[in-house]
Amino acid sequence: ALDVRAQPLQVRVRGGDRRLTADEPLAIDASRCYDPNVRRFDAQTGELLIDADLLFGWALRAVVNGMAAEALAFPAGANATGRVLQLLASSLPPGSYAITLTLSKP
C-alpha cells in the first residue's frame, strides 16, 4: 500500500517578540512562507519563488495580564492580508499586543 499525504503550509516569519516605543514603525515579514507541496524555484538563482496562492490573515489582540484579550481592528494603513504587515509609527497606543498570522490556501 502507498499512503501519500500533503504536508502542512510552512510559516516563516522574520523577527519575533519585540519591544518598541510608540513612535517606531513595525514591519513583520512573512514573505518566506510556502507550500511544501508546491515548491517552485528560480532556474537561475535557485531561490524559492513566491507562492501567489497563499492567503495571509493577520490578527491583532491586546494583551492583558499576560493573556491575549479582545480582538482589535488594525489601524488605518495596515494591510492585514499582505505578506508583510506594516504599522506606521504611533498607530497603536502604548500597551502590549499579540499579532498572529493565519496562513491558508483557497
Side-chain angles (χ1 to χ4, degrees):
L2 176 63
D3 187 17
V4 178
R5 296 178 189 204
Q7 294 180 326
L9 299 175
Q10 298 297 302
V11 176
R12 301 285 185 259
V13 177
R14 289 195 175 127
D17 290 348
R18 302 174 197 192
R19 184 175 302 267
L20 303 171
T21 62
D23 61 350
E24 291 180 86
L26 172 66
I28 303 175
D29 184 353
S31 62
R32 300 293 295 172
C33 295
Y34 67 94
D35 181 350
N37 304 294
V38 186
R39 295 181 78 176
R40 298 178 195 103
F41 295 91
D42 183 284
Q44 292 183 356
T45 66
E47 289 188 30
L48 184 65
L49 297 175
I50 290 176
D51 187 341
D53 293 337
L54 292 177
L55 302 175
F56 294 77
W58 297 93
L60 173 66
R61 293 185 176 276
V63 174
V64 178
N65 297 324
M67 302 290 292
E70 76 278 1
L72 303 172
F74 278 102
N79 181 359
T81 60
R83 294 176 178 279
V84 178
L85 175 67
Q86 294 182 326
L87 299 177
L88 301 174
S90 302
S91 61
L92 290 174
S96 294
Y97 301 92
I99 298 175
T100 56
L101 170 64
T102 300
L103 185 64
S104 61
K105 286 188 87 165

Coordinates of all heavy atoms in Angstrom, one line a residue:
A1 N 0.8 -1.2 0.0 CA 0.0 0.0 0.0 C 0.9 1.2 0.0 O 2.0 1.2 0.6 CB -0.9 0.0 1.2
L2 N 0.4 2.3 -0.6 CA 1.1 3.5 -0.7 C 0.2 4.6 -0.1 O -1.0 4.7 -0.5 CB 1.4 3.9 -2.1 CG 2.1 5.2 -2.3 CD1 3.4 5.3 -1.6 CD2 2.2 5.5 -3.8
D3 N 0.7 5.4 0.9 CA -0.1 6.4 1.5 C 0.6 7.7 1.3 O 1.7 8.0 1.8 CB -0.2 6.1 3.0 CG -1.1 7.0 3.8 OD1 -2.0 7.7 3.1 OD2 -1.1 7.1 5.0
V4 N 0.0 8.6 0.5 CA 0.6 9.9 0.2 C -0.2 11.0 0.9 O -1.4 11.0 0.7 CB 0.6 10.1 -1.4 CG1 1.2 11.5 -1.7 CG2 1.4 9.0 -2.1
R5 N 0.5 11.8 1.6 CA -0.2 12.8 2.4 C 0.4 14.2 2.1 O 1.6 14.3 1.9 CB -0.1 12.6 3.9 CG -0.8 11.3 4.3 CD -0.6 11.1 5.8 NE -1.1 9.8 6.1 CZ -1.5 9.4 7.2 NH1 -1.5 10.2 8.2 NH2 -2.0 8.2 7.4
A6 N -0.4 15.2 2.1 CA 0.1 16.6 1.9 C 0.8 17.1 3.2 O 0.3 16.7 4.3 CB -1.0 17.5 1.5
Q7 N 1.8 17.8 3.0 CA 2.5 18.5 4.2 C 1.8 19.8 4.5 O 1.2 20.4 3.6 CB 3.9 18.7 3.9 CG 4.7 17.4 3.7 CD 6.2 17.7 3.4 OE1 6.5 18.7 2.8 NE2 7.1 16.9 3.9
P8 N 1.8 20.2 5.7 CA 1.1 21.5 6.1 C 1.9 22.7 5.5 O 3.1 22.6 5.2 CB 1.2 21.5 7.6 CG 2.3 20.5 8.0 CD 2.3 19.5 6.9
L9 N 1.2 23.8 5.3 CA 1.9 25.0 4.9 C 2.9 25.4 5.9 O 2.8 25.2 7.1 CB 0.8 26.1 4.8 CG -0.3 25.9 3.8 CD1 -1.3 27.0 3.9 CD2 0.2 25.8 2.4
Q10 N 4.0 26.0 5.4 CA 5.1 26.3 6.3 C 5.2 27.8 6.5 O 5.2 28.6 5.6 CB 6.5 25.9 5.6 CG 6.6 24.4 5.4 CD 6.6 23.7 6.7 OE1 7.4 23.9 7.6 NE2 5.6 22.8 6.9
V11 N 5.1 28.2 7.8 CA 5.1 29.6 8.1 C 6.5 30.0 8.5 O 7.1 29.4 9.3 CB 4.1 29.9 9.3 CG1 4.2 31.3 9.8 CG2 2.7 29.5 9.0
R12 N 7.0 31.1 7.9 CA 8.3 31.6 8.1 C 8.1 33.1 8.4 O 7.9 33.9 7.4 CB 9.2 31.4 7.0 CG 9.4 29.9 6.6 CD 10.3 29.2 7.7 NE 10.6 27.9 7.3 CZ 10.0 26.8 7.8 NH1 9.1 27.0 8.7 NH2 10.4 25.6 7.5
V13 N 8.3 33.5 9.6 CA 8.2 35.0 10.0 C 9.5 35.5 10.5 O 10.1 34.8 11.4 CB 7.1 35.2 11.0 CG1 7.0 36.6 11.4 CG2 5.7 34.6 10.5
R14 N 10.0 36.5 9.9 CA 11.2 37.1 10.4 C 10.9 38.0 11.6 O 10.0 38.8 11.7 CB 11.8 38.0 9.3 CG 12.3 37.2 8.1 CD 13.2 38.1 7.2 NE 13.8 37.2 6.2 CZ 13.7 37.4 4.9 NH1 13.1 38.5 4.5 NH2 14.2 36.6 4.0
G15 N 11.8 37.8 12.6 CA 11.6 38.5 13.8 C 11.0 37.6 14.9 O 11.1 36.4 14.8
G16 N 10.4 38.2 15.8 CA 9.8 37.5 16.9 C 9.2 38.5 17.9 O 8.7 39.6 17.5
D17 N 9.3 38.2 19.2 CA 8.9 39.1 20.2 C 9.7 40.4 20.1 O 10.9 40.4 19.9 CB 9.1 38.5 21.6 CG 8.1 37.4 21.9 OD1 7.2 37.2 21.1 OD2 8.3 36.7 22.9
R18 N 9.0 41.5 20.2 CA 9.7 42.8 20.1 C 9.2 43.8 21.1 O 8.0 43.7 21.5 CB 9.5 43.4 18.7 CG 9.9 42.5 17.6 CD 9.6 43.1 16.3 NE 9.6 42.0 15.3 CZ 9.6 42.2 14.0 NH1 9.4 43.4 13.5 NH2 9.7 41.2 13.2
R19 N 10.0 44.7 21.5 CA 9.6 45.8 22.3 C 10.0 47.1 21.6 O 11.1 47.3 21.2 CB 10.4 45.8 23.7 CG 9.9 46.8 24.6 CD 10.6 46.6 26.0 NE 10.4 45.3 26.6 CZ 9.4 45.0 27.4 NH1 8.6 46.0 27.8 NH2 9.3 43.8 27.9
L20 N 9.0 47.9 21.3 CA 9.1 49.1 20.5 C 8.6 50.3 21.3 O 7.7 50.1 22.2 CB 8.3 49.0 19.2 CG 8.6 47.9 18.3 CD1 7.6 47.9 17.2 CD2 10.0 48.0 17.7
T21 N 9.0 51.5 21.0 CA 8.4 52.7 21.5 C 7.2 53.0 20.6 O 7.2 52.6 19.5 CB 9.4 53.8 21.6 OG1 9.8 54.2 20.3 CG2 10.6 53.5 22.5
A22 N 6.3 53.8 21.1 CA 5.1 54.1 20.3 C 5.4 54.9 19.0 O 4.6 54.8 18.1 CB 4.1 54.9 21.2
D23 N 6.6 55.5 19.0 CA 6.9 56.3 17.8 C 7.8 55.6 16.8 O 8.3 56.1 15.9 CB 7.5 57.6 18.2 CG 8.8 57.5 18.9 OD1 9.2 56.3 19.4 OD2 9.6 58.5 19.1
E24 N 7.8 54.2 16.9 CA 8.6 53.4 16.0 C 7.6 52.7 15.1 O 6.6 52.2 15.5 CB 9.5 52.4 16.7 CG 10.6 53.0 17.5 CD 11.4 51.9 18.1 OE1 12.3 51.3 17.5 OE2 11.1 51.6 19.3
P25 N 7.9 52.6 13.8 CA 7.1 51.7 12.9 C 7.4 50.3 13.1 O 8.4 49.9 13.7 CB 7.5 52.2 11.5 CG 8.9 52.6 11.7 CD 9.0 53.2 13.1
L26 N 6.5 49.4 12.7 CA 6.6 48.0 12.9 C 6.4 47.3 11.5 O 5.4 47.6 10.8 CB 5.6 47.4 13.9 CG 5.6 45.9 14.0 CD1 6.9 45.4 14.6 CD2 4.4 45.5 14.9
A27 N 7.3 46.4 11.2 CA 7.1 45.5 10.0 C 7.4 44.1 10.4 O 8.4 43.8 11.0 CB 8.0 46.0 8.9
I28 N 6.4 43.2 10.1 CA 6.5 41.8 10.3 C 6.5 41.1 9.0 O 5.5 41.2 8.3 CB 5.4 41.3 11.3 CG1 5.4 42.0 12.6 CG2 5.6 39.8 11.5 CD1 4.3 41.7 13.5
D29 N 7.6 40.4 8.6 CA 7.8 39.9 7.3 C 7.5 38.4 7.3 O 8.2 37.6 7.9 CB 9.2 40.2 6.8 CG 9.5 39.8 5.4 OD1 8.6 39.1 4.8 OD2 10.6 40.1 4.9
A30 N 6.4 38.0 6.5 CA 6.1 36.6 6.4 C 6.3 36.2 4.9 O 5.7 35.2 4.5 CB 4.7 36.3 6.9
S31 N 7.1 36.9 4.2 CA 7.2 36.6 2.7 C 7.9 35.3 2.4 O 7.8 34.8 1.3 CB 7.9 37.8 2.0 OG 9.2 37.9 2.5
R32 N 8.5 34.7 3.4 CA 9.2 33.4 3.1 C 8.3 32.2 3.4 O 8.7 31.0 3.4 CB 10.4 33.3 4.0 CG 11.5 34.4 3.7 CD 12.1 34.3 2.3 NE 12.8 33.1 2.2 CZ 13.4 32.6 1.1 NH1 13.2 33.3 0.0 NH2 14.1 31.5 1.0
C33 N 7.0 32.4 3.7 CA 6.1 31.3 3.9 C 5.9 30.5 2.6 O 6.0 31.2 1.5 CB 4.7 31.8 4.4 SG 4.7 32.6 6.0
Y34 N 5.6 29.2 2.7 CA 5.5 28.5 1.4 C 4.7 27.2 1.6 O 4.4 26.8 2.7 CB 6.8 28.1 0.8 CG 7.7 27.2 1.7 CD1 7.6 25.8 1.4 CD2 8.5 27.6 2.7 CE1 8.4 24.9 2.2 CE2 9.2 26.8 3.5 CZ 9.2 25.4 3.2 OH 9.9 24.5 4.0
D35 N 4.2 26.7 0.5 CA 3.5 25.4 0.5 C 4.6 24.3 0.1 O 5.0 24.4 -1.1 CB 2.4 25.5 -0.5 CG 1.6 24.2 -0.6 OD1 2.0 23.1 0.0 OD2 0.5 24.2 -1.2
P36 N 5.0 23.4 0.9 CA 6.0 22.4 0.6 C 5.5 21.4 -0.5 O 6.3 20.7 -1.1 CB 6.3 21.7 1.9 CG 5.0 21.9 2.7 CD 4.5 23.3 2.3
N37 N 4.2 21.4 -0.7 CA 3.7 20.5 -1.7 C 3.8 21.1 -3.1 O 3.7 20.4 -4.1 CB 2.2 20.2 -1.4 CG 2.1 19.6 0.0 OD1 2.6 18.5 0.2 ND2 1.5 20.4 0.9
V38 N 4.0 22.4 -3.2 CA 4.1 23.1 -4.5 C 5.3 24.1 -4.4 O 5.1 25.3 -4.3 CB 2.8 23.9 -4.8 CG1 2.9 24.5 -6.2 CG2 1.6 23.0 -4.6
R39 N 6.5 23.6 -4.4 CA 7.6 24.5 -4.3 C 8.2 24.7 -5.6 O 8.5 23.8 -6.4 CB 8.7 23.8 -3.4 CG 8.2 23.7 -1.9 CD 9.2 23.1 -1.0 NE 10.2 24.2 -0.7 CZ 11.2 24.0 0.1 NH1 11.4 22.8 0.7 NH2 12.0 24.9 0.4
R40 N 8.4 26.0 -5.9 CA 8.9 26.4 -7.2 C 10.2 27.2 -7.0 O 10.2 28.1 -6.1 CB 7.9 27.3 -8.0 CG 6.6 26.6 -8.3 CD 5.6 27.5 -9.0 NE 4.3 26.9 -8.9 CZ 3.3 27.3 -8.1 NH1 3.5 28.3 -7.3 NH2 2.1 26.7 -8.1
F41 N 11.2 26.9 -7.7 CA 12.5 27.6 -7.6 C 12.9 28.3 -8.9 O 12.6 27.8 -10.0 CB 13.6 26.6 -7.2 CG 13.4 26.0 -5.9 CD1 12.7 24.8 -5.8 CD2 13.9 26.5 -4.7 CE1 12.5 24.2 -4.5 CE2 13.7 26.0 -3.5 CZ 13.0 24.8 -3.4
D42 N 13.6 29.4 -8.7 CA 14.1 30.2 -9.9 C 15.2 29.3 -10.5 O 16.1 28.9 -9.8 CB 14.6 31.5 -9.4 CG 15.1 32.3 -10.6 OD1 16.2 32.0 -11.1 OD2 14.4 33.3 -11.0
A43 N 15.1 29.1 -11.8 CA 16.0 28.2 -12.5 C 17.5 28.7 -12.5 O 18.4 28.0 -12.4 CB 15.6 28.0 -13.9
Q44 N 17.6 30.1 -12.4 CA 19.0 30.7 -12.5 C 19.5 30.9 -11.1 O 20.7 30.6 -10.8 CB 18.9 32.0 -13.2 CG 18.6 31.8 -14.7 CD 18.7 33.1 -15.5 OE1 18.8 34.2 -14.9 NE2 18.5 33.0 -16.8
T45 N 18.7 31.3 -10.1 CA 19.3 31.7 -8.8 C 19.0 30.5 -7.8 O 19.7 30.5 -6.8 CB 18.6 32.9 -8.2 OG1 17.2 32.7 -8.0 CG2 18.8 34.1 -9.2
G46 N 18.1 29.7 -8.1 CA 17.8 28.6 -7.1 C 16.9 29.1 -5.9 O 16.6 28.3 -5.0
E47 N 16.5 30.4 -5.9 CA 15.7 30.9 -4.8 C 14.3 30.4 -4.9 O 13.7 30.2 -6.0 CB 15.7 32.4 -4.9 CG 17.1 33.0 -4.5 CD 17.0 34.5 -4.3 OE1 15.9 35.0 -4.0 OE2 18.0 35.2 -4.5
L48 N 13.7 30.2 -3.8 CA 12.3 29.9 -3.7 C 11.4 31.0 -4.2 O 11.6 32.1 -3.8 CB 11.9 29.5 -2.2 CG 10.5 29.0 -1.9 CD1 10.3 27.7 -2.6 CD2 10.3 28.9 -0.5
L49 N 10.5 30.7 -5.1 CA 9.6 31.7 -5.7 C 8.4 31.9 -4.8 O 8.0 31.0 -4.1 CB 9.2 31.3 -7.1 CG 10.3 31.1 -8.2 CD1 9.7 30.6 -9.5 CD2 10.9 32.5 -8.4
I50 N 7.8 33.0 -4.9 CA 6.7 33.4 -4.1 C 5.5 32.6 -4.6 O 5.2 32.5 -5.8 CB 6.4 34.9 -4.1 CG1 7.5 35.6 -3.3 CG2 5.0 35.2 -3.5 CD1 7.3 37.1 -3.4
D51 N 4.7 32.0 -3.7 CA 3.5 31.2 -4.0 C 2.4 32.2 -4.0 O 1.9 32.6 -2.9 CB 3.3 30.1 -3.0 CG 2.2 29.2 -3.3 OD1 1.3 29.6 -4.1 OD2 2.1 28.1 -2.8
A52 N 1.9 32.6 -5.1 CA 0.8 33.6 -5.2 C -0.5 33.1 -4.7 O -1.4 33.9 -4.4 CB 0.7 34.0 -6.7
D53 N -0.7 31.8 -4.5 CA -1.9 31.3 -4.0 C -2.1 31.3 -2.5 O -3.2 31.1 -1.9 CB -2.1 29.8 -4.4 CG -2.3 29.6 -5.9 OD1 -2.7 30.6 -6.6 OD2 -1.9 28.5 -6.4
L54 N -1.0 31.7 -1.7 CA -1.1 31.7 -0.3 C -2.0 32.9 0.2 O -1.9 34.0 -0.4 CB 0.3 31.8 0.3 CG 1.1 30.6 0.2 CD1 2.5 30.9 0.8 CD2 0.5 29.4 0.9
L55 N -2.8 32.7 1.2 CA -3.6 33.8 1.8 C -3.1 34.1 3.2 O -2.9 33.2 4.0 CB -5.1 33.3 1.8 CG -5.7 33.0 0.5 CD1 -7.1 32.4 0.7 CD2 -5.7 34.2 -0.5
F56 N -2.9 35.4 3.4 CA -2.3 35.8 4.7 C -3.4 36.5 5.5 O -4.0 37.4 5.0 CB -1.1 36.8 4.5 CG 0.1 36.1 3.8 CD1 0.1 35.8 2.5 CD2 1.1 35.7 4.6 CE1 1.1 35.1 1.9 CE2 2.2 35.1 4.0 CZ 2.2 34.8 2.7
G57 N -3.6 36.1 6.7 CA -4.6 36.8 7.6 C -4.0 37.1 8.9 O -3.7 36.3 9.7
W58 N -3.7 38.4 9.1 CA -3.1 38.9 10.3 C -4.2 39.3 11.3 O -5.3 39.8 10.9 CB -2.2 40.1 10.1 CG -1.1 39.8 9.2 CD1 -1.0 40.0 7.8 CD2 0.2 39.4 9.5 NE1 0.2 39.7 7.3 CE2 1.0 39.3 8.4 CE3 0.8 39.0 10.8 CZ2 2.3 38.9 8.4 CZ3 2.1 38.6 10.8 CH2 2.9 38.5 9.6
A59 N -4.0 39.0 12.6 CA -4.9 39.4 13.7 C -4.2 40.1 14.8 O -3.0 39.8 15.1 CB -5.6 38.2 14.2
L60 N -4.9 41.1 15.4 CA -4.3 41.9 16.4 C -5.1 41.8 17.7 O -6.4 41.9 17.6 CB -4.3 43.4 16.0 CG -3.8 44.4 17.0 CD1 -2.4 44.3 17.4 CD2 -4.1 45.8 16.4
R61 N -4.5 41.5 18.8 CA -5.2 41.5 20.1 C -4.4 42.2 21.1 O -3.2 42.2 21.1 CB -5.3 40.0 20.6 CG -6.3 39.2 19.7 CD -6.4 37.8 20.3 NE -7.4 37.0 19.5 CZ -8.7 37.0 19.7 NH1 -9.2 37.8 20.6 NH2 -9.5 36.3 18.9
A62 N -5.1 42.9 22.0 CA -4.4 43.5 23.2 C -4.0 42.3 24.1 O -4.7 41.3 24.2 CB -5.4 44.4 23.9
V63 N -3.0 42.5 24.9 CA -2.5 41.6 25.9 C -2.8 42.2 27.3 O -2.3 43.3 27.5 CB -1.0 41.2 25.7 CG1 -0.6 40.3 26.9 CG2 -0.8 40.5 24.4
V64 N -3.6 41.5 28.0 CA -4.0 42.0 29.4 C -3.6 40.9 30.4 O -4.0 39.7 30.2 CB -5.5 42.3 29.4 CG1 -5.9 42.8 30.8 CG2 -5.9 43.4 28.4
N65 N -2.8 41.3 31.4 CA -2.4 40.3 32.4 C -1.7 39.1 31.8 O -2.0 37.9 32.2 CB -3.6 39.9 33.3 CG -4.1 41.0 34.1 OD1 -3.4 41.9 34.5 ND2 -5.4 41.1 34.3
G66 N -0.9 39.3 30.8 CA -0.2 38.2 30.1 C -1.0 37.3 29.2 O -0.5 36.4 28.6
M67 N -2.3 37.7 29.0 CA -3.1 36.8 28.1 C -3.7 37.7 27.0 O -4.0 38.9 27.2 CB -4.3 36.3 28.9 CG -3.9 35.4 30.1 SD -3.1 33.8 29.6 CE -4.5 33.0 28.8
A68 N -3.7 37.1 25.7 CA -4.3 37.8 24.6 C -5.8 38.0 24.9 O -6.5 37.1 25.3 CB -4.1 37.1 23.3
A69 N -6.3 39.2 24.8 CA -7.7 39.6 25.1 C -8.5 39.8 23.9 O -8.3 39.1 22.9 CB -7.7 40.8 26.0
E70 N -9.3 40.8 23.9 CA -10.2 41.1 22.8 C -9.5 41.4 21.5 O -8.4 42.0 21.5 CB -11.2 42.2 23.1 CG -10.6 43.6 23.0 CD -9.8 44.1 24.2 OE1 -9.6 43.3 25.2 OE2 -9.3 45.2 24.2
A71 N -10.1 41.0 20.4 CA -9.5 41.3 19.0 C -9.7 42.8 18.8 O -10.7 43.4 19.2 CB -10.2 40.5 18.0
L72 N -8.7 43.4 18.1 CA -8.8 44.8 17.8 C -8.7 44.9 16.3 O -8.1 44.1 15.6 CB -7.6 45.5 18.4 CG -7.4 45.4 19.9 CD1 -6.1 46.0 20.3 CD2 -8.6 46.1 20.6
A73 N -9.2 46.0 15.8 CA -9.1 46.4 14.4 C -7.7 46.9 14.2 O -7.2 47.6 15.0 CB -10.1 47.4 13.9
F74 N -7.1 46.6 13.0 CA -5.8 47.2 12.7 C -6.0 48.7 12.4 O -7.0 49.1 11.9 CB -5.1 46.5 11.5 CG -4.4 45.3 11.9 CD1 -5.0 44.0 11.6 CD2 -3.2 45.3 12.5 CE1 -4.3 42.9 11.9 CE2 -2.5 44.1 12.8 CZ -3.1 42.9 12.6
P75 N -5.0 49.5 12.7 CA -5.1 50.9 12.4 C -5.1 51.2 10.9 O -4.7 50.3 10.1 CB -3.8 51.5 13.0 CG -3.1 50.4 13.7 CD -3.8 49.2 13.4
A76 N -5.6 52.3 10.5 CA -5.7 52.7 9.1 C -4.3 52.6 8.5 O -3.3 52.9 9.1 CB -6.2 54.2 9.0
G77 N -4.2 52.1 7.3 CA -2.9 52.0 6.6 C -2.3 50.6 6.7 O -1.4 50.3 6.0
A78 N -2.8 49.8 7.6 CA -2.2 48.4 7.8 C -2.8 47.5 6.8 O -4.0 47.6 6.5 CB -2.4 47.9 9.2
N79 N -2.0 46.6 6.2 CA -2.5 45.6 5.3 C -2.6 44.3 6.0 O -1.6 43.6 6.1 CB -1.6 45.5 4.0 CG -2.1 44.5 3.0 OD1 -3.2 43.9 3.2 ND2 -1.4 44.4 1.9
A80 N -3.8 43.9 6.5 CA -4.0 42.7 7.3 C -4.1 41.5 6.4 O -4.3 40.4 7.0 CB -5.2 42.9 8.2
T81 N -3.9 41.6 5.1 CA -3.9 40.4 4.3 C -2.6 40.3 3.4 O -2.6 39.5 2.5 CB -5.1 40.4 3.3 OG1 -5.1 41.6 2.5 CG2 -6.4 40.4 4.1
G82 N -1.6 41.1 3.7 CA -0.4 41.1 2.9 C 0.7 40.2 3.5 O 0.6 39.7 4.6
R83 N 1.7 39.9 2.7 CA 2.8 39.1 3.2 C 3.7 39.8 4.3 O 4.3 39.1 5.1 CB 3.8 38.8 2.0 CG 3.1 37.9 0.9 CD 4.0 37.7 -0.3 NE 3.3 36.8 -1.2 CZ 3.3 35.5 -1.1 NH1 4.0 34.9 -0.1 NH2 2.7 34.8 -1.9
V84 N 3.6 41.1 4.2 CA 4.4 41.9 5.2 C 3.3 42.8 5.9 O 2.7 43.6 5.2 CB 5.5 42.7 4.6 CG1 6.2 43.6 5.7 CG2 6.5 41.9 3.9
L85 N 3.2 42.7 7.2 CA 2.4 43.6 8.0 C 3.2 44.8 8.4 O 4.2 44.6 9.0 CB 1.8 42.8 9.2 CG 1.0 43.7 10.2 CD1 -0.3 44.1 9.5 CD2 0.7 43.0 11.5
Q86 N 2.7 46.0 8.0 CA 3.4 47.2 8.4 C 2.4 48.1 9.2 O 1.3 48.3 8.7 CB 3.9 47.9 7.2 CG 5.0 47.1 6.4 CD 5.5 47.9 5.2 OE1 4.8 48.6 4.6 NE2 6.8 47.7 5.0
L87 N 2.9 48.6 10.3 CA 2.2 49.5 11.1 C 3.0 50.8 11.2 O 4.2 50.7 11.5 CB 1.9 49.0 12.5 CG 1.1 47.7 12.6 CD1 1.0 47.2 14.1 CD2 -0.3 47.9 12.0
L88 N 2.4 51.9 10.9 CA 3.0 53.2 11.0 C 3.4 53.5 12.4 O 2.7 53.1 13.4 CB 2.2 54.3 10.4 CG 1.8 54.1 8.9 CD1 0.8 55.1 8.5 CD2 3.0 54.0 8.0
A89 N 4.4 54.4 12.6 CA 4.8 54.9 13.9 C 3.5 55.6 14.5 O 2.8 56.2 13.9 CB 5.9 55.8 13.8
S90 N 3.4 55.4 15.8 CA 2.3 56.0 16.6 C 0.9 55.6 16.2 O -0.1 56.2 16.5 CB 2.4 57.5 16.5 OG 3.6 58.0 17.0
S91 N 0.8 54.4 15.4 CA -0.6 54.0 15.0 C -1.3 53.2 16.1 O -2.5 53.0 16.0 CB -0.5 53.2 13.7 OG 0.3 52.0 13.9
L92 N -0.5 52.7 17.1 CA -1.1 52.0 18.2 C -0.8 52.7 19.5 O 0.3 53.2 19.7 CB -0.6 50.6 18.3 CG -0.9 49.5 17.3 CD1 -0.1 48.3 17.5 CD2 -2.4 49.3 17.3
P93 N -1.8 52.8 20.4 CA -1.5 53.4 21.7 C -0.5 52.5 22.5 O -0.4 51.3 22.2 CB -2.8 53.5 22.4 CG -3.7 52.5 21.7 CD -3.1 52.3 20.3
P94 N 0.2 53.1 23.4 CA 1.1 52.3 24.3 C 0.4 51.1 24.9 O -0.8 51.2 25.3 CB 1.7 53.3 25.3 CG 1.5 54.6 24.7 CD 0.3 54.5 23.8
G95 N 1.0 50.0 24.9 CA 0.4 48.8 25.5 C 1.1 47.5 25.0 O 2.1 47.6 24.2
S96 N 0.6 46.4 25.3 CA 1.1 45.1 24.8 C 0.1 44.5 23.9 O -1.1 44.5 24.2 CB 1.4 44.2 26.0 OG 2.4 44.6 26.8
Y97 N 0.6 43.9 22.8 CA -0.2 43.4 21.8 C 0.3 42.0 21.3 O 1.5 41.8 21.3 CB -0.3 44.3 20.6 CG -0.8 45.7 20.9 CD1 0.1 46.7 21.3 CD2 -2.2 45.9 20.9 CE1 -0.4 48.0 21.6 CE2 -2.7 47.2 21.2 CZ -1.8 48.2 21.6 OH -2.3 49.4 22.0
A98 N -0.6 41.2 20.9 CA -0.3 39.9 20.2 C -0.7 40.0 18.8 O -1.9 40.3 18.5 CB -0.9 38.7 21.0
I99 N 0.2 39.7 17.9 CA -0.2 39.7 16.5 C 0.0 38.3 16.0 O 1.1 37.7 16.2 CB 0.7 40.7 15.7 CG1 0.5 42.1 16.2 CG2 0.4 40.6 14.2 CD1 1.4 43.2 15.6
T100 N -1.0 37.7 15.4 CA -0.9 36.4 14.9 C -1.1 36.3 13.4 O -1.8 37.2 12.8 CB -1.9 35.4 15.6 OG1 -3.2 36.0 15.4 CG2 -1.6 35.3 17.0
L101 N -0.6 35.3 12.7 CA -0.8 35.1 11.3 C -1.5 33.8 11.1 O -1.0 32.7 11.6 CB 0.6 35.1 10.6 CG 0.6 34.7 9.1 CD1 -0.2 35.6 8.3 CD2 2.0 34.6 8.6
T102 N -2.5 33.8 10.2 CA -3.1 32.5 9.8 C -2.8 32.4 8.3 O -3.1 33.3 7.5 CB -4.6 32.6 9.9 OG1 -4.9 32.7 11.3 CG2 -5.3 31.3 9.4
L103 N -2.2 31.3 7.9 CA -1.7 31.1 6.5 C -2.7 30.0 5.9 O -2.9 29.0 6.6 CB -0.3 30.6 6.5 CG 0.4 30.4 5.1 CD1 0.5 31.8 4.4 CD2 1.8 29.8 5.3
S104 N -3.2 30.3 4.7 CA -4.1 29.3 4.1 C -4.0 29.4 2.6 O -3.3 30.2 2.1 CB -5.5 29.5 4.6 OG -6.0 30.8 4.2
K105 N -4.7 28.4 2.0 CA -4.8 28.4 0.5 C -6.2 28.2 0.1 O -7.0 27.6 0.9 CB -3.9 27.3 -0.1 CG -2.4 27.6 0.0 CD -1.7 26.5 -0.8 CE -1.6 26.9 -2.2 NZ -0.6 26.2 -3.0
P106 N -6.6 28.8 -1.0 CA -8.0 28.6 -1.4 C -8.4 27.1 -1.8 O -7.5 26.3 -2.0 CB -8.2 29.5 -2.7 CG -6.8 29.8 -3.1 CD -5.9 29.5 -2.0

